[in-house]
Amino acid sequence: MELFSVAESEELLRSFEVRPLGGLIEDAAKLCRAGFGGSITYSRKVFIPLTHLCRDTCAYCTFTKIPKQVSSPYLLPEDVLAIARAGEKAGCREALFTLGDKPELRYEAARKFLDEHGFATTVDYLEHVCALVLRETSLLPHVNAGIMTESEIARLRKVSVSQGIMLETVSERLCARGGAHFGSPDKDPRVRIEMIEAAGRQRVPFTSGILIGIGETRLERIQSLLALKTIHQRHGHIQEIIVQNFRAKSDTRFATHREPNLDDLLWTASAARLIFGSEMNIQVPPNLSYGDFPRLLEAGINDWGGISPVTADHVNPEAPWPDLAKLETATAAAGLSLEQRLAVYPNYVRNASDWIDSVLVPSVLRTVDSEGFARDDNWSPGSLSSIPSDLRSIRSDRRIDLILARAKTGTRLSENEIRVLFAARAGDVDAICIAADEVRAGTSGDTVRYVVNRNINYTNVCTYQCRFCAFAKGKTHDELRGKPYDLSLEEVARRAREAWERGATEVCMQGGINPYYTGQTYLDLLRAVKEQVPEIHVHAFSPLEIAQGASTLEISVRHFLGMLRDAGLGSLPGTAAEILDDRVREVICPDKLSTDEWLDVIAAAHETGLPTTSTIMFGHVEGSASWARHLLHLRDLQERTGGFTEFVPLPFVHMEAPMSLRGQARMGPTWREVRLMHAVARLVLHPLIANIQASWVKLGEDGVSELLHGGVNDLGGTLMNESISRAAGTLHGQELAPQQMENLIERARRQPQQRTTLYQPASTERRAVSFDAPILSELVLTPFNGKRKMKEDIQLQH
């Protein structure tokens, strides 16, 4: 298969050249914005020049040196680590290894160094230092190692998240005497093309591009871009196309060679965007355009490349990178938002199992958000870290205002529109939160409600294999999860009575899927509470427990729900939803209810007269597409049944979650994502679900206080005995007393109201008791004993 058609390339060139440059640029910019919205990305990196020795003699290169010009043929491991650690301290995420091509084939000094250090080739040594950086720092290596064999590419894939080599040009003319690549066997286009193909076969996220102004024609530029496009269509691995402009350097054969001017660079960048379409990342290095670099944003680029606050551009040392503040200012002045990425681009992060070696995936997941960008804060749900603030006010996505206008009218948004909202950054996030708060004000005014309740988790024994759950699975800490237990009915009843005596109007009861439980067990738990405290509202049993209970009694879910309702059940928690996207559920809870099964149980509850809450657990392995589908499932069901009382976003607490301990999940959502989840939910579910709740257990008092200005009108329950989030590692306590609740709400300039489960005002008597509650008694955790449980069940049946 040919990599490009001469006729096609000639036709493309004619179509580009007959058009005014301004029109070409405008079309490229529109295409870019369609694909990337208002974001311009960059990678904060350190540049590690492992060796300046090279067997090639390119006419324009000042990176390569000869042995007598360097103190050591290669950087020593301690030198590599010193650079990496300096970068880590400065907030870098990427270690860019750049080196000359196969110096051991030309220089005795290189061969001697490698032999003394126990390596056969430069690639062997590179593999070693990449592994060292991975082991000793948080940086992720990207390697530009010159021409490699496919087996070498495969080896480096295990110690680097991405690799690259510039095609530069398909012109073989430039390898002839007098050409830019004369005397450089590794610049043969056929050799470079074969390596790029090999990287595709090895599923390596790969960087390539063209170098303009070295003697090639515009037609050859088009042909080079078409060749890269063809390779990418075969393998899907080229993550970015760099359009790099030649700059003349003294002490080179091309010292007096004419440089391409800015218009030529803008023309080529625009041509690259038009050839590759809206989805390819197109980069032009800003430092090679000096003070004119902001104009590059006009030409359809969406990436500035690697920028280092620590090291120079060793390939172009005469052209320093713009500092990050200047880069951000220039990007903002163009109405765009600067976002940090990793060495591997977001699309490849989102599909990490396909593109990144399994050993490296945990390191990647620790540093990214749901979109695959670098996390923009170090905050995590459940931690005591301060709530981050984003001082950037730039609005960059023009689509958002139209979507917000539709949402305010209660119109059902599309999945794609919701994803646009979730992708918001900087000032666009503020705009979404303001819109959500306007809807909140129109729906529930300034009243913020909460319920005085007690959690009763009657067993932490569970047969399911949920990979996020630290309550019943995973690493055991006595102060968190504790030992397996199964509460006696007497202890359940005692806790319910104590809750009532402390002002509660509700007990919330859920537990693990205990193999000894049957539908009768749930009825017994319910009756134990109602016989002890007839007045209290029992909010109990997840949809998974309902399904299990019905199955053990060999009756329908609807029949079982009717039995529970008649026995005094007041409502169901809409938990066990996690993410209503079966592709995600297969990863995090493969043996749990499917999306349709969960929705069916909830619908049956509503139709049986049992209202439910609704929830989402976000910030682990899923992304915005799953969030959008989840919200639309809830909206559509609510439109049919009207049975949801509220929506409760539950940020994933990662600290003790099994899949986090195994490096299989992110560190929970970022604060930006938490803000967006609550605000976007308010807009998407409007006007069908009126109450949006924030979880103080996951977010702390400062967190939920901030969210009261972003669409939230409810703070949930005081809880008394929260244990599930504490098992996952949250440090925000197990009870938030009524006085604390009301102080928090008033500090946020809202009006507190104590409510019941079903959003009626709590009675004066209940409110008075809750403000004068005695200290909780010590809990009795009945040790799990299957034989005892079986004996109790037999006695109850008789």
Side-chain angles (χ1 to χ4, degrees):
M1 177 181 176
E2 291 186 355
L3 292 178
F4 61 86
S5 159
V6 173
E8 179 189 3
S9 59
E10 291 174 343
E11 178 58 33
L12 271 174
L13 179 62
R14 282 193 294 271
S15 70
F16 292 157
E17 290 199 319
V18 297
R19 302 180 60 193
L21 178 60
L24 197 73
I25 288 174
E26 183 178 352
D27 286 349
K30 286 179 181 177
L31 199 57
C32 180
R33 298 288 76 81
F36 297 95
S39 291
I40 299 292
T41 53
Y42 79 102
S43 174
R44 191 176 299 198
K45 72 179 181 184
V46 286
F47 197 132
I48 303 177
L50 190 62
T51 178
H52 286 275
L53 305 183
C54 183
R55 73 166 177 170
D56 295 324
T57 57
C58 299
Y60 47 79
C61 182
T62 57
F63 176 78
T64 62
K65 303 184 185 306
I66 60 176
K68 68 180 182 181
Q69 294 175 313
V70 295
S71 59
S72 172
Y74 297 83
L75 289 178
L76 295 170
E78 53 265 35
D79 299 327
V80 170
L81 277 181
I83 296 170
R85 285 171 175 151
E88 185 177 41
K89 188 175 180 180
C92 297
R93 308 292 179 92
E94 173 186 350
L96 168 63
F97 284 91
T98 293
L99 48 152
D101 225 309
K102 299 181 179 61
E104 67 271 27
L105 298 184
R106 182 176 179 183
Y107 297 114
E108 173 62 28
R111 291 193 294 273
K112 183 178 178 182
F113 179 98
L114 292 172
D115 184 60
E116 289 175 350
H117 289 80
F119 302 100
T121 68
T122 297
V123 171
D124 292 342
Y125 184 50
L126 174 61
E127 183 180 13
H128 171 73
V129 293
C130 283
L132 186 65
V133 166
L134 283 168
R135 186 169 62 250
E136 299 292 334
T137 77
S138 61
L139 300 189
L140 299 170
H142 168 89
V143 297
N144 290 338
I147 295 298
M148 295 184 288
T149 66
E150 189 159 343
S151 63
E152 289 173 328
I153 292 169
R155 283 165 47 202
L156 287 178
R157 187 182 190 271
K158 297 181 181 299
V159 292
S160 64
V161 294
S162 53
Q163 300 177 34
I165 192 169
M166 293 287 280
L167 173 59
E168 297 195 9
T169 180
V170 293
S171 174
E172 296 182 14
R173 295 182 301 103
L174 302 187
C175 293
R177 184 175 296 277
H181 293 152
F182 178 70
S184 303
D186 300 299
K187 291 301 177 79
D188 184 327
R190 292 167 297 183
V191 173
R192 297 175 92 77
I193 285 168
E194 172 49 34
M195 181 183 155
I196 298 170
E197 292 264 24
R201 290 191 293 269
Q202 290 299 318
R203 307 290 286 172
V204 173
F206 204 78
T207 292
S208 193
I210 62 173
L211 178 61
I212 69 169
I214 56 173
E216 84 294 343
T217 65
R218 278 189 169 180
L219 177 62
E220 287 167 335
R221 294 180 197 173
I222 300 297
Q223 291 171 341
S224 299
L225 291 169
L226 288 174
L228 289 170
K229 182 178 180 180
T230 300
I231 297 170
H232 179 63
Q233 287 172 335
R234 291 177 185 172
H235 305 289
H237 70 303
I238 298 180
Q239 61 172 358
E240 67 179 333
I241 294 294
I242 300 174
V243 177
Q244 182 172 331
N245 49 314
F246 159 77
R247 300 304 302 240
K249 300 174 178 67
S250 59
D251 299 324
T252 68
R253 299 204 311 271
F254 270 29
T256 60
H257 191 79
R258 182 180 177 181
E259 299 176 347
N261 61 28
L262 182 62
D263 281 355
D264 197 16
L265 179 58
L266 294 173
W267 182 92
T268 309
S270 299
R273 171 61 66 198
L274 294 171
I275 287 170
F276 278 92
S278 62
E279 295 184 2
M280 176 58 73
N281 298 292
I282 306 291
Q283 175 197 133
V284 178
N287 57 318
L288 300 184
S289 295
Y290 302 104
D292 289 325
F293 79 87
R295 286 204 59 200
L296 299 172
L297 292 170
E298 302 170 12
I301 72 167
N302 68 293
D303 189 79
W304 286 126
I307 306 293
S308 180
V310 176
T311 53
D313 179 353
H314 293 282
V315 174
N316 301 283
E318 79 289 352
W321 282 299
D323 66 45
L324 290 172
K326 186 175 181 181
L327 193 70
E328 183 153 16
T329 298
T331 305
L336 302 168
S337 176
L338 186 66
E339 302 300 334
Q340 187 180 358
R341 60 168 173 84
L342 305 185
V344 57
Y345 273 82
N347 185 51
Y348 295 85
V349 172
R350 293 194 296 267
N351 297 281
S353 60
D354 291 334
W355 291 103
I356 301 172
D357 189 87
S358 59
V359 173
L360 301 179
V361 169
S363 298
V364 171
L365 292 180
R366 278 196 296 270
T367 62
V368 296
D369 63 17
S370 64
E371 298 292 319
F373 291 101
R375 290 182 75 91
D376 50 16
D377 59 53
N378 292 318
W379 175 90
S380 288
S383 72
L384 299 180
S385 302
S386 299
I387 298 301
S389 59
D390 189 342
L391 301 179
R392 300 174 301 165
S393 59
I394 187 70
R395 295 289 313 279
S396 60
D397 196 329
R398 300 176 184 89
R399 300 169 293 179
I400 284 176
D401 288 334
L402 294 175
I403 297 171
L404 294 179
R406 282 168 45 77
K408 287 180 180 180
T409 67
T411 301
R412 185 186 189 276
L413 300 181
S414 70
E415 180 182 321
N416 187 61
E417 287 175 314
I418 298 170
R419 292 187 68 181
V420 169
L421 297 181
F422 277 128
R425 306 267 166 173
D428 288 332
V429 176
D430 294 331
I432 292 168
C433 290
I434 290 169
D437 217 41
E438 289 172 358
V439 173
R440 182 272 311 159
T443 300
S444 59
D446 285 342
T447 300
V448 176
R449 298 174 177 83
Y450 69 96
V451 62
V452 178
N453 66 348
R454 181 174 201 166
N455 270 13
I456 302 178
N457 302 120
Y458 32 76
T459 183
N460 65 354
V461 176
C462 187
T463 59
Y464 278 70
Q465 302 296 315
C466 298
R467 292 166 186 163
F468 56 83
C469 182
F471 175 69
K473 300 289 180 187
K475 189 177 180 182
T476 299
H477 287 313
D478 287 344
E479 72 276 18
L480 296 174
R481 175 178 177 264
K483 294 181 173 63
Y485 69 79
D486 180 18
L487 299 187
S488 67
L489 295 177
E490 292 78 13
E491 174 64 8
V492 171
R494 185 197 68 76
R495 292 190 193 185
R497 167 54 62 183
E498 186 178 36
W500 182 258
E501 291 170 351
R502 299 182 84 245
T505 57
E506 170 198 306
V507 287
C508 176
M509 302 202 303
Q510 299 178 88
I513 304 302
N514 192 313
Y516 294 96
Y517 278 24
T518 68
Q520 186 60 48
T521 311
Y522 298 115
L523 288 164
D524 294 337
L525 286 163
L526 179 57
R527 287 182 177 127
V529 172
K530 296 300 285 185
E531 287 174 1
Q532 183 70 217
V533 193
E535 307 95 328
I536 204 160
H537 182 101
V538 180
H539 179 67
F541 313 136
S542 71
L544 182 57
E545 291 175 290
I546 296 295
Q548 184 224 18
S551 175
T552 61
L553 296 179
E554 298 183 346
I555 59 176
S556 69
V557 163
R558 191 179 299 272
H559 185 187
F560 185 48
L561 285 164
M563 293 171 66
L564 291 167
R565 177 201 60 205
D566 295 344
L569 183 63
S571 59
L572 272 67
T575 50
E578 327 315 348
I579 294 290
L580 297 177
D581 183 334
D582 286 335
R583 286 172 293 184
V584 177
R585 298 179 79 79
E586 287 172 4
V587 175
I588 66 171
C589 51
D591 51 357
K592 226 168 186 179
L593 298 177
S594 69
T595 295
D596 286 343
E597 288 168 338
W598 186 92
L599 291 168
D600 287 344
V601 173
I602 291 290
H606 294 174
E607 291 159 1
T608 307
L610 291 168
T612 75
T613 62
S614 58
T615 65
I616 187 172
M617 185 188 70
F618 66 107
H620 36 89
V621 301
E622 82 305 348
S624 61
S626 298
W627 298 346
R629 292 173 196 136
H630 187 108
L631 291 176
L632 290 175
H633 279 308
L634 298 181
R635 180 187 173 96
D636 292 344
L637 182 57
Q638 181 74 342
E639 191 160 34
R640 180 158 63 90
T641 67
F644 288 127
T645 55
E646 68 224 65
F647 176 67
V648 191
L650 301 172
F652 173 61
V653 178
H654 77 284
M655 293 78 155
E656 295 296 324
M659 62 184 183
S660 288
L661 296 174
R662 291 193 290 265
Q664 298 169 335
R666 303 192 301 276
M667 295 172 59
T670 64
W671 178 244
R672 177 188 68 87
E673 291 166 340
V674 168
R675 292 182 69 200
L676 284 172
M677 180 57 74
H678 290 79
V680 172
R682 167 65 71 184
L683 295 164
V684 172
L685 300 175
H686 175 66
L688 300 176
I689 299 179
N691 301 300
I692 305 297
Q693 183 184 122
S695 170
W696 63 264
V697 175
K698 316 278 188 183
L699 303 171
E701 292 189 44
D702 290 344
V704 296
S705 180
E706 287 287 324
L707 295 175
L708 288 176
H709 301 288
V712 168
N713 72 305
D714 191 83
L715 294 187
T718 58
L719 298 181
M720 296 190 196
N721 288 123
E722 198 293 317
S723 59
I724 294 176
S725 294
R726 282 187 299 128
T730 185
L731 300 175
H732 292 302
Q734 61 177 317
E735 180 177 19
L736 197 64
Q739 189 63 64
Q740 292 173 279
M741 278 280 196
E742 300 209 353
N743 290 344
L744 185 164
I745 293 165
E746 288 168 350
R747 286 197 302 270
R749 302 183 303 280
R750 297 282 192 269
Q751 299 298 315
Q753 183 185 88
Q754 198 174 115
R755 63 167 174 86
T756 66
T757 307
L758 301 183
Y759 283 82
Q760 297 302 308
S763 70
T764 303
E765 179 270 338
R766 287 286 84 198
R767 178 177 166 80
V769 173
S770 73
F771 275 83
D772 191 29
I775 296 173
L776 282 166
S777 301
E778 288 292 322
L779 298 179
V780 177
L781 295 177
T782 315
F784 172 64
N785 185 319
K787 291 181 179 178
R788 175 187 61 77
K789 174 57 67 177
M790 291 177 68
K791 184 177 179 181
E792 285 182 359
D793 287 346
I794 292 170
Q795 289 172 342
L796 285 165
Q797 289 168 15
H798 286 82

